[in-house]
Amino acid sequence: MAKKNNISVEIKDILGKLTIEDLQIKGKRVFIRADLNVPFDDNMVITDDRRIRSTLPTVNYAIDEGAKVIIGSHLGRPKGRVEPRFSLAPVAKRLQRLLNKEVLFANDCIGPQPEGIVSKMKNGDVLLLENLRFHPGEEKNDEAFARSLAKLADFYVNDAFGAAHRSHASTAGITKFLPSAAGFLLKKEIEYLKGVVDNPVRPFVAVLGGAKVSGKIGVLENLANKVDKVIVGGGMAYTFIKAMGYEIGDSLVESDMLDVAANIIDKLRRNNVKFYLPVDSVIAQSLEPGAETKIVTAQEIPKGWRALDIGPASVKLFSEALQNAKTIIWNGPMGVFEIDAFSRGTFSIAHAVADAYALTIVGGGDTDYAVHRAGVSDAITFISTGGGASLQLLEGKDLPGISALTDRKD
Ligand code: AMP
């Protein structure tokens, strides 16, 4: 049951796969594929450990059940080579602090070294393996590499939603060799991004933004059959505005997407979906801090000027359109919110989404960051941990890391 304010939704089992709770893991070796791909500053200090925290329920469950817990993850893009700056050793320390329990660390993820450590593990012990992507076999989904990973464990649990759209050895290949189940985070992501989206309490509103139409076209196509309203802001809005025949000055436009945008507008109209675009914009001639800005209507963006944020009238319009929503999904900022002068639209919409009496789902790294910067993350029902994976689900596609898990037989 998901709840926010007066909204509650019964979430059915839409996963259809084994979950960690279906496995008898006491005394067994369990390989948990987590997404511990956290950001670091220049001094190698972790700047945001939410990815580690979000997998704690699965890790703690396995510890409490008396399993031998072996965790694998990638970090960055070392491209199949050992690169010390992408070592997971600092993550092991943070995990140890968060679990309040010793975390063993193996300098490799396959071979005699981790195998030796695993053979001495007691029930409830935790081991973090070194970066899976130090081996080229990980991203190539090499069978021999997947088999070496599987050799470490009796069961496989995937909790790495952020990597579930990849068909890699640790997300797909390994499932050929072990009974494979979903962790709690993976299950929750699917329940919201598929369960709620396919079965929403209405009115259901999608808010989409970000740079490009091309990045969100699949999502728009899929959601056009499910939502009651679509609100489009951000750079992608101007391809739609241009497709409707307006001048957009030097705003971001994808000329090869104009027909696609016009077709989407048609499809939304045919489906009786209300479609909202910015009615005004904050414009500037450059992104330089301190550059002159103006607010103009969507019809009056002059040549040489770029629309870089939605304007106050659009904020009001979008906020009103959100007011009667019972389910909201938001992916993509309303402007170049990284720069203060163009951040107000995104932050205002963050507040409007948070204040709505609706079940609210936020996806995508930028949008996640925006709701945190706006200080409203606690008022959002669910914030997805996956960027590419959440978009792929919203496009209505299967994720290889989920399809590969063992089917539930009941
Ligand atoms: P995406 O990864 O497609 O969700 O795009 C996110 C990026 O879109 C952010 O870095 C924003 O700065 C950028 N963006 C949002 N609105 C605009 C705009 N009006 N013009 C140019 N870039 C934008």
Side-chain angles (χ1 to χ4, degrees):
M1 180 85 78
K3 267 203 168 133
K4 189 197 170 198
N5 304 321
N6 58 348
I7 307 295
S8 62
V9 184
E10 201 65 58
I11 298 176
K12 299 188 203 101
D13 174 24
I14 34 103
L15 189 62
K17 300 286 183 183
L18 293 185
T19 73
I20 188 168
E21 289 174 297
D22 298 316
L23 307 176
Q24 304 302 314
I25 57 177
K26 188 176 171 54
K28 301 288 187 197
R29 301 165 303 160
V30 178
F31 184 109
I32 298 178
R33 173 57 161 104
D35 178 5
L36 307 179
N37 186 25
V38 288
F40 287 83
D41 67 13
D42 294 342
N43 300 316
M44 290 305 287
V45 176
I46 296 170
T47 52
D48 180 351
D49 64 6
R50 274 176 292 157
R51 283 203 164 139
I52 307 178
R53 288 173 192 271
S54 50
T55 204
L56 292 178
T58 299
V59 174
N60 274 320
Y61 175 86
I63 295 169
D64 292 347
E65 289 291 301
K68 294 164 184 159
V69 185
I70 300 145
I71 305 172
S73 176
H74 70 284
L75 179 70
R77 296 179 187 273
K79 304 225 165 91
R81 284 197 316 252
V82 177
E83 274 207 52
R85 70 193 167 106
F86 293 124
S87 171
L88 279 164
V91 173
K93 287 207 184 108
R94 180 65 61 97
L95 182 61
Q96 177 158 302
R97 178 136 48 93
L98 293 171
L99 289 171
N100 201 12
K101 174 179 182 51
E102 185 188 10
V103 172
L104 305 165
F105 185 70
N107 295 322
D108 203 346
C109 59
I110 55 166
Q113 205 253 355
E115 284 169 20
I117 301 177
V118 171
S119 69
K120 295 193 194 78
M121 282 172 80
K122 298 190 206 57
N123 296 355
D125 280 356
V126 179
L127 166 68
L128 177 62
L129 304 171
E130 184 53 288
N131 196 338
L132 296 160
R133 289 193 187 163
F134 282 177
H135 288 264
E138 164 63 358
E139 290 187 78
K140 288 192 186 127
N141 194 7
D142 176 70
E143 189 165 319
F145 177 71
R147 193 183 284 114
S148 305
L149 287 175
K151 214 172 141 190
L152 296 170
D154 304 298
F155 291 111
Y156 168 78
V157 171
N158 191 352
D159 212 26
F161 179 71
H165 59 313
R166 312 264 186 224
S167 197
H168 291 171
S170 70
T171 58
I174 189 171
T175 63
K176 278 197 205 142
F177 307 105
L178 297 174
S180 302
F184 294 113
L185 173 64
L186 198 82
K187 182 165 177 256
K188 204 162 152 192
E189 294 270 7
I190 303 298
E191 283 173 349
Y192 280 94
L193 292 169
K194 197 163 156 52
V196 172
V197 167
D198 285 353
N199 244 317
V201 180
R202 294 184 182 280
F204 178 22
V205 185
V207 184
L208 296 175
K212 292 186 170 173
V213 181
S214 48
K216 304 269 158 68
I217 196 70
V219 176
L220 262 167
E221 291 272 7
N222 186 40
L223 290 182
N225 299 321
K226 303 179 193 288
V227 296
D228 301 291
K229 306 183 193 185
V230 173
I231 294 172
V232 169
M236 64 187 279
Y238 301 93
T239 298
F240 283 97
I241 293 174
K242 177 136 191 173
M244 291 164 72
Y246 294 109
E247 282 310 315
I248 54 164
D250 288 4
S251 306
L252 201 63
V253 64
E254 286 168 279
S255 303
D256 54 341
M257 296 301 281
L258 290 170
D259 287 347
V260 174
N263 287 338
I264 284 280
I265 296 173
D266 257 7
K267 180 169 179 180
L268 293 169
R269 195 176 292 131
R270 281 197 309 276
N271 288 4
N272 224 352
V273 175
K274 316 251 176 337
F275 183 46
Y276 296 85
L277 282 168
V279 287
D280 63 345
S281 299
V282 180
I283 60 169
Q285 285 170 301
S286 83
L287 279 166
E288 293 300 308
E292 185 194 354
T293 62
K294 291 187 200 176
I295 295 167
V296 295
T297 64
Q299 290 86 343
E300 293 180 24
I301 304 172
K303 280 208 171 65
W305 291 72
R306 289 187 244 172
L308 295 166
D309 192 11
I310 58 172
S314 309
V315 167
K316 198 144 192 274
L317 173 73
F318 292 179
S319 303
E320 275 176 28
L322 285 167
Q323 227 160 39
N324 72 341
K326 293 267 187 294
T327 307
I328 300 172
I329 181 137
W330 179 24
N331 190 307
M334 297 289 104
V336 183
F337 76 109
E338 298 91 337
I339 298 174
D340 281 347
F342 313 112
S343 65
R344 191 175 280 187
T346 299
F347 293 143
S348 303
I349 295 305
H351 283 282
V353 170
D355 289 346
Y357 284 104
L359 192 149
T360 49
I361 303 171
V362 162
D366 284 321
T367 324
D368 174 9
Y369 179 66
V371 293
H372 279 88
R373 282 268 322 269
V376 298
S377 50
D378 287 347
I380 303 293
T381 316
F382 182 69
I383 300 177
S384 173
T385 57
S390 69
L391 285 179
Q392 203 160 311
L393 265 191
L394 293 177
E395 286 170 7
K397 294 188 186 145
D398 287 336
L399 303 184
I402 291 165
S403 312
L405 301 176
T406 310
D407 289 332
R408 172 187 284 279
K409 289 198 193 66
D410 51 35

